[in-house]
Amino acid sequence: MSAKPTIYLKDYTPPSFLIDTISLRFELDETATRVKSQLQVRRNPQAAVTRQLQLHGHESVELCEIKLNGAHLAADAYQREAEFLTLLDVPESFELEIETCINPEANTALEGLYLSDGMYCTQCEAEGFRRITFYPDRPDVMSVFTTTLVADASRFPVLLGNGNPVQRGELDDGRHWVTWVDPFPKPAYLFALVAGDLQCLEDQFTTCSGRQVTLQIYAEAKDLEKLDHAMTALKNAMRWDEEVYGREYDLDIYMIVAVDFFNMGAMENKGLNIFNTACVLAHPRTTTDAGFQRVESVVAHEYFHNWSGNRVTCRDWFQLSLKEGFTVFRDQCFSADMHSAVVQRVDEVGILRTAQFAEDAGPMAHPVRPASFIEISNFYTLTVYEKGAAVVRMLHTLLGADVFRKGADLYFERHDGQAVTTDDFVQAMADVSGRDLTQFKRWYSQAGTPRLKVSDHYDAASQRYQLNVQQSCPATPEAQQKLPFHLPLSVGLLRADGSSFVLKDGKTTQLLELTEAEQTFVFDGIDEAPLPSLLRDFSAPVKLVYGYTDEQLAFLLSHDEDGFNRWDAGQQLSLRLVNRLIADYQQGKPLSLPDTFVATWQSVLQQAPQDPAMAALLLTLPSEAYISETAEQIDPLAIHHVRHFMRCALAEQLESSWLELYRQHDSQSGYTASAADMARRSLRNLCLSYLMVLESPAHLALAQQQFETADNMTDQFAALISVAHSGFRDSADELLAEFLSQWQHESLVMNQWLMVQATDPREGGLARVQQLLEHPVYDARNPNKIRSLIGAFCQQNAVNFHAQDGSGYRFLADHILQLDAQNPQIAARLLTPLTRWRRYAADRQALMQAQLQRIMDKGQLSGDVYEVVSKSLCQ
Ligand code: 0A1
Ligand code: ZN
């Protein structure tokens, strides 16, 4: 059993007391930091009357002193329990002073105040503030924070807090101090401080109303040259939020700090974002194009939170998607505007359809607004983030961009400075549109991925075409029965010549609104039998079933005007073949690719130069993860083998085309991070990866040459991975060694180096990973290193992780048990692949369950790991 109880949304009650102001003073010390807090407390007129004040406080916090209205509290005036400090009898309003002592050096969980490579930083979302001091650590308690930091001036020259710096000074003992005031009331989860020996890149931004904002991005001196891209992204995001949402920044200064030890990607603390180095540092020499894009989108995401999250925040943690779903939707639209909208959409849907759909079908499935949890950290999920964004996108689609914008305006205006719910968000949309969105809200309360079964009928005599749509949703842990969803289904109808019919309002895409379990839509004036293009732009997060023939999919692939659906038609075509070949493989039959399939690829290859970005997408087979997600039962070996076979066959039969395309897309001039250049590199490196599966010395030479001469990490890394995962063992070892010696002092590059080896599908994967655990570049306390080695092995190396002898599962369980005592959040996240045991055949199921049971039997688990393991076992 876990010591932590389940918390339910239905039990929500408003806070008994409010905190108008909090003033904090930190005397920073590695092992004994003193924190003095002074709170102005008053009873909440909105809550039931009580004389007891309950404050959260983690067991690691030592209480040194407590005073009420200036007088020491007697020992019998309060109670200290593991998670709380309760004052037994307090007046209506009063001043409370608390002094605590905490140990940042011992903080390996990286929640609260901790040390990252010798610098102090904090992470308070969701419940980290209670590891600093005693406080009502819940998002609906919003207060004005003043923070004073005191630290040794030579070792910690930079002292940062939320808001604006108002005062600074020096002490006689070599320490200095700075006081920061944040005028905007905020919940404790948005509190932050940083102290360290940091350098910064500074710039200015003039807001739409003409205010000057100072922008600063802090990092260690060695990383100063890697901050330009984040700064550009920040300025673009600030401008975009003004133009698209009318949102202006509100403080005089906006700071970002890069830290190497961080559990997640980044954190939107008011005016003082703290970022995982992997999400802010970027330089062409050391960062791949994917890394550049991640930096841009995470910088934008955290910036957008200033309105969707900070100015308007969440009432309780069940409402997490209020800020995360909306903010992800905003950052997705931003990225689409900055780059190719189709490529962006394909990437988003890829994540949703592989990882989120898998989550929705597993033991941790939960609604976008969960109804209960044991540990909130386990709910920073793809469902809350990505499906939450898809739900906001559906509102955008249903209401149209203009009405949606009015709804957002009303939401921000109505709730500025408040802590609210997803219902409040939808209500603002309902109010501006005059629509009843009651049924739509089921997207927030029902888990599971709906399935749409579509059939059609064409009657030539009446020129009438009908689409019949049935929707259903599988049972999930919280509910067996589901009610129908309200969703937008975007469709087009194609003529035999490939053009689209003009439908309602002179448009070629029509929005159908689904609300019933079964509905029929009628199209009149259709003068030839059409081919439907369904769920254009992936208008809803559902699984679509329609009986396309292979020829029809190939037709959509070449003709659909909807870029997303062209890509998807290609994916579905490939997926069908994958499934046929898996069946052949399992029956011991020889594998072969149909000529029609190769011909389709040949024609895509021929047209590739016209749109390299699209071509790179179209020429990528469905990932092993996506194939697994769509499979009845996952056979990791068969999936890997078949996909590899298809790549080899396509490489062999189209070798000259790949080679020609590879040569054509060489860079003419130096590196740029433009969308066109990124597309060119992705197509070229895809060609190289196909050529390398042929294991020909000529192609190896190409890869080696690219590795040696590349002026950027995208090309160098693509060459490395193509050789490292090839049969050329000696060359692989050579390049890996060369890469190590070239980049050993670049921590983020070393993460990539670990990852290439962790994801190598060839035999002996586990032994290689075990060796790497001992390598000097590995650091068992750093989440990025753990993710790059253990996480990558368990999630992106299916053939080795799912070894028949269960060694992969045992390895993961060993590490979870070890990690749980050190960093429960990371331990719980690493568990994901084991939670999927039901999707495999009986032998693997038994092995995976046995490891989950072994973890369970250990006892003394954190709430994080306990929740995931217990839910996985009882499903
Ligand atoms: N709010 C952040 C995500 C985040 C959540 C928890 C963290 O610590 C455990 C850190 C960051 C975001 O959405 O970017
Ligand atoms: Zn976020």
Side-chain angles (χ1 to χ4, degrees):
M1 267 299 290
S2 155
K4 287 191 92 175
T6 300
I7 300 170
Y8 296 90
L9 166 60
K10 65 177 168 48
D11 294 342
Y12 172 84
T13 52
S16 305
F17 290 86
L18 303 176
I19 314 290
D20 290 323
T21 62
I22 167 169
S23 181
L24 288 156
R25 179 184 168 89
F26 287 81
E27 304 215 353
L28 293 167
D29 181 275
E30 271 85 349
T31 55
T33 288
R34 294 236 151 207
V35 186
K36 283 187 187 160
S37 83
Q38 195 179 29
L39 315 174
Q40 296 302 329
V41 188
R42 90 187 135 87
R43 195 176 286 157
N44 181 3
Q46 247 62 269
V49 174
T50 169
R51 297 188 66 91
Q52 286 201 357
L53 170 63
Q54 198 179 50
L55 304 173
H56 296 104
H58 189 257
E59 57 190 7
S60 60
V61 178
E62 182 192 338
L63 176 62
C64 306
E65 191 175 81
I66 179 160
K67 289 196 233 170
L68 197 152
N69 287 335
H72 283 282
L73 269 191
D76 63 357
Y78 60 90
Q79 262 169 18
R80 173 84 203 262
E81 289 147 297
E83 305 274 327
F84 297 103
L85 177 70
T86 309
L87 277 59
L88 299 174
D89 188 15
V90 299
E92 290 266 314
S93 81
F94 56 97
E95 182 184 273
L96 188 63
E97 288 166 275
I98 298 176
E99 187 172 341
T100 57
C101 185
I102 52 180
N103 183 347
E105 201 175 83
N107 184 348
T108 57
L110 316 185
E111 298 171 71
L113 178 70
Y114 64 93
L115 285 165
S116 169
D117 269 341
M119 100 200 203
Y120 292 95
C121 64
T122 52
Q123 173 53 44
C124 292
E125 186 175 5
E127 298 180 336
F129 195 71
R130 62 187 65 181
R131 292 170 183 254
I132 292 173
T133 184
F134 296 94
Y135 193 76
D137 188 9
R138 43 187 287 170
D140 55 356
V141 172
M142 300 172 80
S143 182
V144 172
F145 279 66
T146 300
T147 310
T148 300
L149 294 89
V150 189
D152 183 81
S154 60
R155 291 168 57 218
F156 305 100
V158 174
L159 303 176
L160 309 176
N162 306 103
N164 301 310
V166 294
Q167 244 189 323
R168 61 180 68 233
E170 264 134 47
L171 303 179
D172 297 339
D173 56 4
R175 294 189 300 170
H176 68 152
W177 58 272
V178 182
T179 298
W180 293 78
V181 176
D182 177 3
F184 294 94
K186 64 168 177 286
Y189 84 86
L190 290 172
F191 167 82
L193 71 77
V194 168
D197 187 359
L198 298 163
Q199 304 284 312
C200 94
L201 174 69
E202 186 168 309
D203 208 332
Q204 299 288 319
F205 181 85
T206 309
T207 70
C208 49
S209 76
R211 282 190 312 101
Q212 281 282 109
V213 180
T214 298
L215 311 177
Q216 294 179 330
I217 308 185
Y218 288 86
E220 288 180 46
K222 68 178 170 58
D223 292 325
L224 202 52
E225 60 174 26
K226 305 191 185 87
L227 300 175
D228 296 329
H229 183 62
M231 185 62 89
T232 304
L234 176 59
K235 289 185 288 184
N236 287 339
M238 294 178 85
R239 191 61 72 212
W240 188 90
D241 213 13
E242 293 183 343
E243 287 170 4
V244 180
Y245 280 87
R247 297 291 120 200
E248 186 179 356
Y249 186 62
D250 51 12
L251 289 165
D252 302 332
I253 182 166
Y254 190 87
M255 296 170 287
I256 290 177
V257 182
V259 306
D260 216 24
F261 283 65
F262 203 71
N263 283 348
M264 310 276 272
M267 180 62 211
E268 70 265 23
N269 316 301
K270 183 78 187 187
L272 178 57
N273 289 185
I274 297 181
F275 271 60
N276 186 325
T277 44
C279 295
V280 59
L281 304 182
H283 188 280
R285 297 277 295 147
T286 51
T287 312
T288 62
D289 289 341
F292 267 78
Q293 279 179 313
R294 181 173 59 227
V295 167
E296 182 183 66
S297 85
V298 179
V299 167
H301 178 97
E302 305 311 331
Y303 175 73
F304 296 151
H305 267 316
N306 189 54
W307 276 95
S308 48
N310 300 4
R311 288 287 287 257
V312 182
T313 195
C314 302
R315 186 192 74 172
D316 54 73
W317 291 120
F318 298 101
Q319 318 297 330
L320 182 57
S321 196
L322 172 79
K323 73 179 178 82
E324 297 305 347
F326 189 21
T327 304
V328 171
F329 173 68
R330 278 149 56 70
D331 83 56
Q332 288 176 347
C333 295
F334 167 76
S335 295
D337 284 353
M338 295 288 129
H339 303 281
S340 149
V342 175
V343 175
Q344 169 67 22
R345 191 70 190 129
V346 164
D347 287 348
E348 282 153 31
V349 174
I351 298 171
L352 195 68
R353 244 181 1 191
T354 49
Q356 196 280 325
F357 282 14
E359 185 169 274
D360 238 351
M364 287 295 288
H366 54 276
V368 169
R369 185 194 57 206
S372 69
F373 59 73
I374 295 178
E375 176 51 65
I376 183 56
S377 300
N378 286 330
F379 288 79
Y380 287 78
T381 58
L382 291 153
T383 301
V384 166
Y385 276 65
E386 308 300 323
K387 186 176 180 179
V391 170
V392 175
R393 180 182 296 272
M394 285 191 285
L395 280 173
H396 188 271
T397 306
L398 285 168
L399 305 185
D402 294 344
V403 177
F404 181 89
R405 166 65 198 272
K406 288 198 180 83
D409 287 350
L410 176 62
Y411 167 73
F412 287 128
E413 184 198 342
R414 187 184 270 174
H415 299 296
D416 190 6
Q418 297 177 5
V420 302
T421 64
T422 55
D423 285 339
D424 294 318
F425 180 77
V426 178
Q427 192 56 49
M429 295 294 164
D431 289 349
V432 292
S433 63
R435 299 195 51 166
D436 181 353
L437 296 173
T438 315
Q439 184 184 357
F440 183 83
K441 288 201 287 189
R442 288 178 190 158
W443 282 106
Y444 287 97
S445 58
Q446 296 189 143
T449 307
R451 181 168 177 272
L452 300 190
K453 194 162 174 301
V454 180
S455 58
D456 57 353
H457 175 74
Y458 178 63
D459 180 45
S462 59
Q463 301 200 342
R464 170 169 283 192
Y465 177 71
Q466 298 190 35
L467 272 180
N468 178 273
V469 189
Q470 292 175 313
Q471 58 162 311
S472 59
C473 182
T476 44
E478 94 295 349
Q480 291 298 306
Q481 299 296 325
K482 308 290 169 81
L483 297 167
F485 290 92
H486 178 187
L487 64 96
L489 177 63
S490 292
V491 301
L493 301 178
L494 271 69
R495 292 180 179 277
D497 68 0
S499 65
S500 290
F501 276 94
V502 176
L503 304 171
K504 216 173 134 212
D505 304 329
K507 300 209 175 100
T508 50
T509 297
Q510 186 170 332
L511 191 68
L512 307 179
E513 285 197 29
L514 240 65
T515 50
E516 311 289 326
E518 179 166 1
Q519 254 166 298
T520 299
F521 300 92
V522 177
F523 301 81
D524 280 318
I526 304 298
D527 56 14
E528 61 174 272
L531 177 64
S533 163
L534 301 164
L535 202 67
R536 280 186 161 174
D537 206 33
F538 206 66
S539 60
V542 298
K543 292 187 185 178
L544 182 95
V545 185
Y546 173 82
Y548 286 115
T549 62
D550 285 2
E551 292 69 34
Q552 288 174 328
L553 286 174
F555 188 82
L556 288 173
L557 166 62
S558 16
H559 295 105
D560 200 338
E561 63 176 30
D562 186 77
F564 175 83
N565 269 11
R566 286 209 306 123
W567 169 78
D568 197 34
Q571 289 285 296
Q572 299 314 319
L573 201 55
S574 299
L575 193 58
R576 286 178 176 198
L577 183 55
V578 168
N579 287 326
R580 289 200 284 271
L581 292 176
I582 287 178
D584 289 347
Y585 175 85
Q586 287 168 334
Q587 292 160 27
K589 294 187 190 157
L591 305 183
S592 79
L593 276 197
D595 292 342
T596 49
F597 188 78
V598 180
T600 307
W601 278 58
Q602 175 73 294
S603 81
V604 177
L605 272 162
Q606 264 154 11
Q607 289 163 30
Q610 292 157 30
D611 188 349
M614 188 67 183
L617 296 176
L618 292 174
L619 295 168
T620 302
L621 289 171
S623 65
E624 288 187 20
Y626 182 53
I627 299 168
S628 302
E629 209 294 306
T630 56
E632 276 290 313
Q633 185 174 75
I634 305 173
D635 179 344
L637 219 63
I639 291 172
H640 179 73
H641 190 89
V642 161
R643 192 173 184 277
H644 185 67
F645 162 79
M646 289 173 75
R647 283 170 49 78
C648 291
L650 288 165
E652 201 174 304
Q653 297 186 45
L654 302 169
E655 184 175 1
S656 57
S657 304
W658 294 115
L659 195 57
E660 191 187 319
L661 213 52
Y662 176 80
R663 296 229 159 91
Q664 272 176 6
H665 288 77
D666 198 357
S667 85
Q668 308 302 324
S669 47
Y671 174 94
T672 80
S674 68
D677 245 12
M678 286 192 190
R680 183 186 56 70
R681 281 190 291 274
S682 73
L683 182 58
R684 183 167 189 263
N685 288 324
L686 185 74
C687 294
L688 181 66
S689 77
Y690 277 99
L691 292 169
M692 278 302 292
V693 298
L694 294 174
E695 315 237 314
S696 104
H699 301 328
L700 172 64
L702 275 187
Q704 285 169 323
Q705 194 199 357
Q706 177 169 322
F707 179 89
E708 300 299 341
T709 58
D711 67 351
N712 66 84
M713 184 51 72
T714 307
D715 289 339
Q716 193 185 26
F717 188 70
L720 175 69
I721 199 162
S722 75
V723 176
H725 290 189
S726 76
F728 296 108
R729 273 327 311 139
D730 295 345
S731 309
D733 291 342
E734 260 167 48
L735 285 205
L736 284 165
E738 200 176 320
F739 194 78
L740 170 66
S741 80
Q742 189 181 352
W743 299 116
Q744 57 188 315
H745 302 300
E746 292 286 346
S747 176
L748 294 175
V749 182
M750 286 298 97
N751 296 344
Q752 299 280 93
W753 181 79
L754 291 170
M755 203 151 69
V756 186
Q757 299 174 79
T759 55
D760 181 351
R762 284 164 317 108
E763 239 173 74
L766 180 58
R768 287 193 295 275
V769 168
Q770 272 164 331
Q771 269 186 358
L772 287 168
L773 288 169
E774 308 299 322
H775 197 280
V777 304
Y778 187 72
D779 176 348
R781 295 205 176 268
N782 184 316
N784 287 352
K785 296 281 184 280
I786 299 169
R787 280 187 280 258
S788 302
L789 190 55
I790 304 176
F793 175 74
C794 301
Q795 296 192 12
Q796 295 169 59
N797 194 344
V799 271
N800 277 296
F801 174 66
H802 291 283
Q804 282 294 352
D805 61 0
S807 53
Y809 310 146
R810 200 173 327 113
F811 166 80
L812 178 54
D814 287 346
H815 280 276
I816 299 227
L817 286 171
Q818 201 180 309
L819 251 175
D820 192 32
Q822 173 194 319
N823 188 328
Q825 284 184 1
I826 298 293
R829 275 177 182 270
L830 275 188
L831 264 167
T832 307
L834 277 180
T835 68
R836 305 281 154 82
W837 60 272
R838 275 192 185 268
R839 305 291 319 278
Y840 296 84
D843 49 352
R844 286 203 173 85
Q845 285 200 1
L847 291 165
M848 294 169 96
Q849 269 180 294
Q851 293 307 320
L852 286 167
Q853 192 61 53
R854 201 182 125 219
I855 298 172
M856 196 62 168
D857 292 344
K858 163 91 182 307
Q860 301 279 303
L861 296 175
S862 66
D864 309 58
V865 166
Y866 172 81
E867 177 167 38
V868 178
V869 176
S870 61
K871 288 182 175 173
S872 301
L873 280 170
C874 85
Q875 188 203 20

